[in-house]
Each structure stands twice: as C-alpha cells, then as structure tokens.
Amino acid sequence: MTHFPFSPQLTSSSFLRIGQLSNVDLNEDIRELETELPRQHPNEIPHNEKLLSLKYESLDYDNSENQLFLEEERRINHTAFRTVEIKRWVICAMIGILTGLVACFIDIVVENLAGLKYRVVKGNIDKFTEKGGLSFSLLLWATLNASVVMVGSVIVAFIEPVAAGSGIPQIKCYLNGVKIPHVVRLKTLVIKVCGVILSVVGGLAVGKEGPMIHSGAVIAAGISQGRSTSLKRDFKIFEYFRRDTEKRDFVSAGAAAGVSAAFGAPVGGVLFSLEEGASFWNQFLTWRIFFASMISTFTLNSVLSVYHGNAWDLSSPGLINFGRFDNEKMGYTIQEIPIFIFMGVVGGILGALFNALNYWLTMFRIRYIHRPCLQVVEAMLVAAVTATVGFVMIYCSRDCQPIQGSTVAYPLQVGGAGERPSGVGGETRPCWVLWHWTSRSVPSAAGRPGSPDLPLVILSSLPPQLFCADGEYNSMATAFFNTPEKSVVNLFHDPPGSYNPMTLGMFTLMYFFLACWTYGLTVSAGVFIPSLLIGAAWGRLFGISLSYLTKGSIWADPGKYALMGAAAQLGGIVRMTLSLTVIMMEATGNVTYGFPIMLVLMTAKIVGDYFVEGLYDMHIQLQSVPFLHWEAPVTSHSLTAREVMSAPVTCLRRIERVGTVVDILSDTSSNHNGFPVVESNPDASACRCCGMVPDSLFPHQVFVERANLSLVQRRLKLKDFRDAYPRFPPIQSIHVSQDERECMIDLSEFMNPSPYTVPQEASLPRVFKLFRALGLRHLVVVDNRNEVVGMVTRKDLARYRLGKEGLEELSLAQT
C-alpha cells in the first residue's frame, strides 16, 4: 500500500493512505486513445446483472464554493444577475426552436424516403407479378428494408454506439448524476437523427418519438455551453453556464422539449423531466422548462403546417397526433371503470412478459453479439424478417373491407399513391391501398365508376378465396404496411367493423414479438409507438369482444378500448404514470379520458412491478450503471456510513508539494476524483478535515502557472477552469520538471472550505437522502473529532439494492 511523503506521524494514519475501493479516473481523452487501438473481441463476454461498473463517473451537481467561485460571485452586481437570468430564458427558447426543427426534419425526411421506397416496390410489383413473380416482390421488399437498416446500424455500431436505442435510459442516468461518455455530443445527435430516419424507413417495429428526448437533451447541452467540442469551436458566449449544475437544468429542458415535439404535449414534457429524470427541481426551473416545451411544440406545428400547405391551420402539434376523441360518440360510463382496470391488469402482465423476454434477449446480446459486425447482421436479419412476416400475413389474410365509405386513414396501395380524406381532423395524406384482384379482373382500374384511379395488381397465382374483391381493401395491410404512427391512429378512429378479430389477434401476436426482438438492436429507435400499437390492437380486439358479448347494445365503439389498451401496454412496459397520463390526454385532446387513463396506468405499473422492473430501469441495470433512485432501499436502516463508505481515503494537506499532487493525480487507481484537505492538530497525531478539492480543479493551468516561477504572479480565475470544461486535460499530458516538483502549492483558493460531511454513525437512508437530494459527488465521513475516516461516493450507495431475497450488495467490476 502506497503512502504519502508526509511526516512519519501522518503516514501512519490509516486515512492518509491510498484506498483499494476507490473510483477509477477514466479521462475521456485517454478513453478515446484507447478505443483507437486494435482490440481482441472474445467470443463470449461473461456478464452478471448483479454488478456495478467502475467505468462510470459522477457529475458534480453541487457548486464548490471555493475562493475563486466566491470572488467571481461577489464581482457580479444585481444587473449582471438579471442578465444571466435573461440568458437562461434565451437559451430555453433556442432549445425549443432547434428541437422543433430537428423533429420537423425527421418527419419530413421519413415521409419522403418511405414514399420513395414504396414507389420502387410498386414499380417492380407491376412489372413482375403479371409473370408470376410474387416471390420476387417479397425478396425486393425484404432486401430494401435490410439495406436501409444496414446503413442505420453501421453508423451507430461503428461511429457512435451511445446513439443506439431511444436514449431515454442514458438521459435518465445523466440527469441522475452519472457521466455517460459521449451522450450529449454533437456527433451523437447527428448519428441519432440519421439512425432514427433509417430505422423507421427500414420498416422496423420502432418509433421516432422516443429518440426525440435524447435529441433535445443533446441540443440543450450544446447550446447552453456556447461551443462545440466536436467541432472545436468556442463562440465565447454563455461561459457562466459551463458547470454541471447549470448544464443539468438545460438538459432537463431539452428532454422536455423532445417529449413536447414528439407528442405535442408540453405539460407532459415537463412532467416527464420531473418524473423520469431531474434530481433537483424548483419553481423557476419548472417555468423555464415549460417555456422551452411550448416553443418546441409551436415551432414544429408552424413548420409542418407550412409544409402540408396549411400555413394558418396549425394542425400538427407533434410528430404523432392521436386525433380528437368525441365525447358523444366515444364517451364512457361508470360501469366501464372496472373493465378499464382489468385492461390495466392485462397491460401490466403483457408488459412484464415483454420486459422479461427482452431482458433475456439483451443478456444474450451482451454476451455473444458484442462485435459491431454481428450487431449489424442482427439488425439486417430483423428488418428482413419483419418485412417477410408482414408480407406473409397479408398474403394469408381474408379480412377484406369495402373501401366505399371507409374512413381508413392509410390503406396500403401497392401500385400507386393517391390522396383521400383520413377521417381524422379532415386532413389529407398519402394513402397506400393494397388491391387483391382475381385472375378475371381487368388490367386497369382507371375510369372505373366509384373507384380511385389506381393501377391494378394482378395476383393470378393466388387462390381466389384469399383475394379481396374489386372495391375492397385488406385491413391487415393497413395495419402492417403503414408507419406505426399511422396504424395507431387507424386503430383509434376506424369505425366498428373495420377489422376482423382474427386480423387483430394475429397482428398483436406477431407485432409483440417483433417489437420485443427489435428493441435493443444497434439502431436508433424508440419503443413508445410500438407499445402503443400493440396495446391499441389488443384493446380494439377487447372492445370487439365486448360488443359481441353484449350483442352490440352497449360499448359498440371499440376506439376507446384501443386507447385504453394502448395506455395499458405502454404503462406496463415503461412504468410511467404521471407524465404518461398527461401525454395521453394532451395527445387525444380530451381531458375527460384523464381519469380512466390514470387508473389504467396505475394498475399496469402495480401489476408489472410485481413481476419485473420497467424496461428503462432494466436496461440501466444491465449496463451496470450506478443509478440512484429517489429513496434508499426500505430495509437499509441497519447499515451505517461506516459500513458503506470507501476507506482509506487519499487526503491532501493545505500546502502541498507539487510532486506529491502530480503523483496522486497520475495514479488513476488511487483516488475518488476528489480529495479531503486536512490540517495537522499540534496536540495530536490525527488530521482534521478543513476542506474538499475535486480533481477538476487541477487542470494544467495550476501547474503551469504555479510551478513556473516566472509566472507565479499571475492570479488564476474561475474562467481558466471553465475554458477547459467539461474535458479537462489529463495530468499525463503535463510535463513537470524535477525542480517544479519541489515547489509548494497552496490549495486554499481551490478547495471548498465547507464540504458536506456526515458522522460515521449516520444511517444509510440518511446518507442516501443527503447525497441524492443535493446532487453530490463525494460525501466525507468523519468521526467525533472531525477526522476523515472514509468517503461515500455514488457507487458506495448504488451497490446496495433490494432484491427478491431482501437487501443485497452488488460487486464492483471493470465492465
């Protein structure tokens, strides 16, 4: 065990030694160099979910009130503080505008690329089906999907892996205080946006709404700092906000703006940041986040309305609009409340099954599919299988509905694109109608009375009983060959009788497993819309069953049951309650559905939690992230700070030798990224805690200025540290000569003279509450003489959790 070069009395003290249970300082610059070196990928990576990774550092959400900080604050007068407040509002407005513009870009590009893909498939079907080439049509569709998804998976797997998935678990961790590498970089945003577009266009069972939360958070992190480290550009604005505390608040606003742009739900966005993310909250922050959310929704609404030719209509508040639910046609009665609660139970069970299957699938991926090339191959396989399943389901479907008078929003049309009223808000959108004709059909439908002017597809090789007659459409096609957002709206608003129960049952079953298989692929994609689509399908089936049981006398409209099923399924998977209730209400535009939606979501969460964790929490756990929940485990009162702390602790003296500090910082395995500053007691051999200094206050400026005698007169300012934030140069990049190592450095102006400390007898829940509520990175443990005996970090608290057999302690590992 290594000791400090202190006096014999000091080095004999246990708390001045370097501890073995310390955190690891993994500087991002060093990590980037390591990632460029060739690696040997094992065939199997042994992984245990009962681990905590040492590779994740904590963010420091507590301002260090050292001399430099206090001097800067004292120089700022009242007018300057008002200017800072105005800048906060300006940043929130910019976050809302840019988030809305990014959402518009995603929506417009997806619409155009998907239309191009359908036109290519249509042209080839027209060419080959007359010659009996139906199998070629299937092969073409699967190949196009796999090719598009391959591009989206390659850019994620090989360029920025953190852009995979929806990004919600990563943003939850960031707002919780965990530093996830590269999570809020510009490159991550670019890969995220491109990946989402390619995933949706590639026909995967995914949605583009969930990743908007991650996109908004990245936008907020970049704007609030006034520079881009990826582009190596510093615009010299907003320098005051270059610290973890301010950055966290703006990232919360960005996440809320993303939710608002996705669902047109500004209030739901604010509540999402409160419920799922932020560890700290106040009234002013709430108002600024709501402002950013409203600006995001208004920007998206304005741009999309102009794009759709309705500049003054403002009819597109979000990427998905559930359509308005009319109380007169789709109202509910008090007798239906128990039925809704039962649907919540079903949603909780199905959500738990979804999460359990995805858990084992994710464990398999971590162990065996960890190479980027294998991840790309898996994504292509899923895309091809999804296209094949959809094609076969339509091929075998006998659910033909008359197109005359139908309000189906987006029936699939292989053979041509047309326009027809959607039946939802009276808007007009592209529709794709699949026509199945017998061999006796004429080769063109052009000029047919009462029929749209559509090219005809002759599928003469199929048995006649599987075809839809002239003037009918295939309801399975409208569910499978639409984007998931459009299919959800169809299930909500199509009139009774639009779907056969067998169609809904088969679609629910197949899409459930496809969505479960898809979530966790190395592509940018969300789970919100697939969950809503699954729930809407079985919810509508449930409503049809009720109508049959009651012989159509009551509860005839299955649309409201599709809505409740969607809420139950989504709640059973992600376990959100308050924010999801408001999001669903705002998306439907009907407050009266708030009470049944709340009951359904609460029931789904209670039932689902009985079996397994929510999907986002489960993936956070599988990544071994030291995530801190709102409260400590309920059975942890028997543990004290002495039992959970890391000891011994590396300490520094108020006036320390430069060589000693350099050696401590160079040994990345010997510290907790923060050091208590102690002073000797003349009457005793022990040292009392007099301050705390984080490692971030040791950038190269300290040693260049302090060790070089010619520059010793220059006084450091807090701006010198903010210029290097958030990636401070590693100590290994600083050359300190032997003469400079003998110089002395006074830590008084860098240390926080009033660090948070707890006595060693404090209970774990008390320590947890203090650490979590204040957003701390380090908590010093002292004895009754104020002597440092240990240090509590995030990992010391996160490794205790409540398992099935009571309180359990997780192992720490370099994963």
Side-chain angles (χ1 to χ4, degrees):
M1 186 169 291
T2 306
H3 294 267
F4 280 83
F6 291 159
S7 61
Q9 293 91 345
L10 294 180
T11 55
S12 62
S13 300
S14 63
F15 56 84
L16 291 176
R17 292 174 293 172
I18 296 176
Q20 297 177 340
L21 296 178
S22 58
N23 297 347
V24 178
D25 181 14
L26 293 177
N27 187 276
E28 288 192 13
D29 295 328
I30 298 177
R31 271 199 301 272
E32 291 175 353
L33 294 177
E34 292 176 348
T35 56
E36 296 175 358
L37 299 176
R39 297 181 181 179
Q40 296 295 330
H41 293 281
N43 292 329
E44 177 183 357
I45 295 181
H47 182 78
N48 186 352
E49 66 273 17
K50 295 185 178 181
L51 289 177
L52 276 188
S53 176
L54 286 172
K55 72 179 181 180
Y56 295 108
E57 298 180 17
S58 290
L59 297 165
D60 196 354
Y61 289 157
D62 178 57
N63 289 325
S64 179
E65 294 185 345
N66 52 34
Q67 290 184 15
L68 299 179
F69 176 81
L70 294 178
E71 288 175 1
E72 181 186 75
E73 293 295 308
R74 289 168 185 153
R75 287 195 298 266
I76 301 178
N77 54 28
H78 179 72
T79 304
F81 274 116
R82 292 291 298 273
T83 303
V84 169
E85 188 65 21
I86 292 174
K87 288 181 179 179
R88 287 194 177 98
W89 287 94
V90 171
I91 292 174
C92 288
M94 295 173 64
I95 291 170
I97 292 173
L98 288 182
T99 303
L101 291 177
V102 168
C104 292
F105 174 78
I106 293 174
D107 190 57
I108 293 172
V109 174
V110 165
E111 180 180 337
N112 285 277
L113 288 182
L116 176 62
K117 184 186 75 170
Y118 284 127
R119 285 194 296 272
V120 170
V121 174
K122 166 255 181 184
N124 283 269
I125 288 179
D126 286 345
K127 179 179 179 180
F128 288 102
T129 51
E130 294 181 3
K131 304 175 183 179
L134 189 60
S135 59
F136 182 83
S137 301
L138 168 60
L139 180 63
L140 175 66
W141 198 292
T143 302
L144 279 177
N145 279 9
S147 300
V148 173
V149 170
M150 180 191 70
V151 178
S153 181
V154 164
I155 62 176
V156 172
F158 289 94
I159 299 179
E160 197 56 88
V162 77
S166 65
I168 296 177
Q170 289 86 345
I171 296 303
K172 283 186 64 173
C173 292
Y174 184 89
L175 295 176
N176 191 259
V178 183
K179 185 179 182 181
I180 307 295
H182 301 186
V183 71
V184 289
R185 285 196 180 181
L186 177 62
K187 183 169 69 172
T188 304
L189 174 64
V190 174
I191 300 300
K192 194 81 176 182
V193 171
C194 297
V196 167
I197 292 172
L198 294 171
S199 299
V200 176
V201 173
L204 292 176
V206 298
K208 57 182 182 288
E209 283 71 20
M212 278 307 305
I213 298 170
H214 190 182
S215 300
V218 179
I219 292 170
I223 292 177
S224 64
Q225 304 304 291
R227 67 178 176 187
S228 171
T229 54
S230 299
L231 299 177
K232 310 298 182 184
R233 294 290 304 275
D234 190 345
F235 300 99
K236 302 299 181 182
I237 57 174
F238 307 141
E239 293 179 326
Y240 182 82
F241 306 116
R242 292 178 184 176
R243 48 184 168 177
D244 289 342
T245 308
E246 298 286 351
K247 194 173 180 180
R248 170 203 61 191
D249 292 345
F250 290 119
V251 169
S252 300
V259 174
S260 181
F263 297 97
V267 178
V270 175
L271 294 178
F272 175 85
S273 288
L274 172 61
E275 180 180 8
E276 292 295 314
S279 57
F280 176 77
W281 208 262
N282 61 37
Q283 182 179 2
F284 296 107
L285 179 62
T286 304
W287 185 230
R288 288 197 299 269
I289 290 178
F290 181 66
F291 175 71
S293 298
M294 291 296 297
I295 293 294
S296 176
T297 297
F298 180 77
T299 301
L300 175 75
N301 208 342
S302 302
V303 175
L304 287 186
S305 296
V306 172
Y307 175 75
H308 291 145
N310 303 317
W312 307 103
D313 191 14
L314 297 180
S315 58
S316 303
L319 293 181
I320 181 172
N321 182 13
F322 292 162
R324 185 164 299 277
F325 285 76
D326 192 349
N327 284 336
E328 296 181 1
K329 297 181 180 179
M330 305 178 68
Y332 67 93
T333 61
I334 192 67
Q335 295 91 338
E336 295 176 272
I337 296 298
I339 299 176
F340 295 151
I341 295 176
F342 175 76
M343 295 181 70
V345 174
V346 175
I349 295 174
L350 292 179
L353 176 62
F354 184 100
N355 293 355
L357 293 176
N358 191 262
Y359 173 86
W360 294 112
L361 180 59
T362 305
M363 287 288 290
F364 178 83
R365 285 171 172 152
I366 291 174
R367 290 176 176 172
Y368 299 103
I369 314 180
H370 49 270
R371 298 184 181 183
C373 55
L374 294 179
Q375 294 169 343
V376 173
V377 171
E378 186 196 15
M380 295 174 62
L381 176 62
V382 175
V385 170
T386 302
T388 303
V389 169
F391 198 95
V392 171
M393 294 283 284
I394 292 179
Y395 181 92
C396 300
S397 175
R398 304 184 184 184
D399 188 7
C400 298
Q401 303 294 335
I403 200 169
Q404 298 298 330
S406 173
T407 60
V408 63
Y410 315 103
L412 184 72
Q413 171 186 330
V414 179
E419 300 274 344
R420 65 178 283 111
S422 69
V424 184
E427 54 187 315
T428 302
R429 300 185 182 179
C431 53
W432 312 89
V433 185
L434 179 63
W435 291 84
H436 286 175
W437 302 93
T438 65
S439 58
R440 296 183 298 274
S441 300
V442 294
S444 175
R448 186 186 309 275
S451 298
D453 187 5
L454 303 173
L456 185 64
V457 180
I458 301 179
L459 304 178
S460 57
S461 60
L462 296 182
Q465 64 269 22
L466 293 182
F467 292 162
C468 293
D470 189 1
E472 296 181 347
Y473 70 93
N474 190 299
S475 61
M476 181 67 78
T478 64
F480 246 117
F481 277 119
N482 273 323
T483 57
E485 293 87 351
K486 297 175 182 177
S487 297
V488 169
V489 178
N490 288 343
L491 291 170
F492 283 166
H493 294 284
D494 282 353
S498 299
Y499 297 89
N500 187 284
M502 181 62 68
T503 299
L504 293 173
M506 291 299 299
F507 175 79
T508 301
L509 181 65
M510 300 307 299
Y511 207 83
F512 181 91
F513 289 106
L514 287 175
C516 184
W517 190 11
T518 303
Y519 189 80
L521 290 176
T522 311
V523 295
S524 298
V527 76
F528 268 76
I529 300 303
S531 303
L532 290 173
L533 181 53
I534 296 169
W538 68 256
R540 190 176 183 94
L541 177 61
F542 188 87
I544 293 174
S545 302
L546 277 181
S547 180
Y548 284 163
L549 291 176
T550 60
K551 298 180 180 180
S553 59
I554 57 174
W555 311 321
D557 197 325
K560 59 186 172 185
Y561 291 99
L563 175 64
M564 297 304 160
Q569 185 67 49
L570 182 56
I573 291 176
V574 301
R575 311 291 164 76
M576 293 161 51
T577 51
L578 175 62
S579 58
L580 191 54
T581 300
V582 178
I583 289 173
M584 296 289 286
M585 281 195 303
E586 290 185 277
T588 56
N590 196 323
V591 181
T592 59
Y593 280 95
F595 181 67
I597 289 175
M598 182 191 69
L599 289 179
V600 166
L601 291 174
M602 288 179 58
T603 306
K605 175 177 172 56
I606 293 172
V607 174
D609 286 341
Y610 179 80
F611 297 102
V612 70
E613 289 183 304
L615 187 65
Y616 298 143
D617 292 332
M618 185 186 72
H619 278 263
I620 290 173
Q621 177 182 319
L622 287 173
Q623 294 300 320
S624 303
V625 179
F627 186 87
L628 297 182
H629 295 279
W630 282 105
E631 298 289 343
V634 293
T635 59
S636 61
H637 282 83
S638 59
L639 295 175
T640 62
R642 185 195 305 111
E643 297 171 272
V644 303
M645 68 183 184
S646 296
V649 181
T650 302
C651 296
L652 296 173
R653 292 191 291 190
R654 186 188 294 270
I655 299 178
E656 191 59 88
R657 193 169 63 92
V658 169
T660 302
V661 176
V662 171
D663 291 339
I664 293 173
L665 294 177
S666 300
D667 188 357
T668 57
S669 62
S670 66
N671 62 77
H672 301 89
N673 301 320
F675 312 94
V677 180
V678 297
E679 57 184 0
S680 301
N681 187 346
D683 301 330
S685 61
C687 295
R688 296 180 301 170
C689 178
C690 64
M692 180 75 183
V693 56
D695 64 345
S696 59
L697 291 183
F698 286 114
H700 67 284
Q701 287 93 339
V702 174
F703 300 106
V704 171
E705 303 294 347
R706 298 297 174 170
N708 192 332
L709 298 179
S710 63
L711 299 176
V712 73
Q713 299 300 322
R714 183 186 183 280
R715 179 162 181 81
L716 287 172
K717 297 181 180 179
L718 200 60
K719 180 181 181 300
D720 297 322
F721 298 90
R722 286 177 177 163
D723 288 341
Y725 177 85
R727 289 190 291 279
F728 300 101
I731 193 63
Q732 289 84 356
S733 65
I734 311 299
H735 174 71
V736 181
S737 66
Q738 187 60 38
D739 292 337
E740 293 168 342
R741 289 176 60 89
E742 299 302 323
C743 296
M744 305 301 292
I745 181 173
D746 188 357
L747 302 179
S748 298
E749 60 182 336
F750 308 118
M751 74 177 188
N752 181 5
S754 56
Y756 290 102
T757 61
V758 292
Q760 56 185 348
E761 292 81 13
S763 66
L764 175 59
R766 190 173 186 84
V767 174
F768 189 99
K769 185 177 297 185
L770 182 65
F771 195 98
R772 177 73 165 83
L774 297 176
L776 302 181
R777 191 179 185 186
H778 311 96
L779 187 58
V780 181
V781 182
V782 297
D783 59 12
N784 54 5
R785 293 180 295 179
N786 197 34
E787 298 170 3
V788 179
V789 295
M791 180 92 75
V792 174
T793 63
R794 170 176 293 273
K795 299 177 184 66
D796 298 322
L797 298 176
R799 62 194 174 103
Y800 291 95
R801 74 178 186 193
L802 190 62
K804 294 183 178 180
E805 299 179 359
L807 192 66
E808 60 184 13
E809 182 178 355
L810 308 183
S811 302
L812 300 178
Q814 288 284 358
T815 58

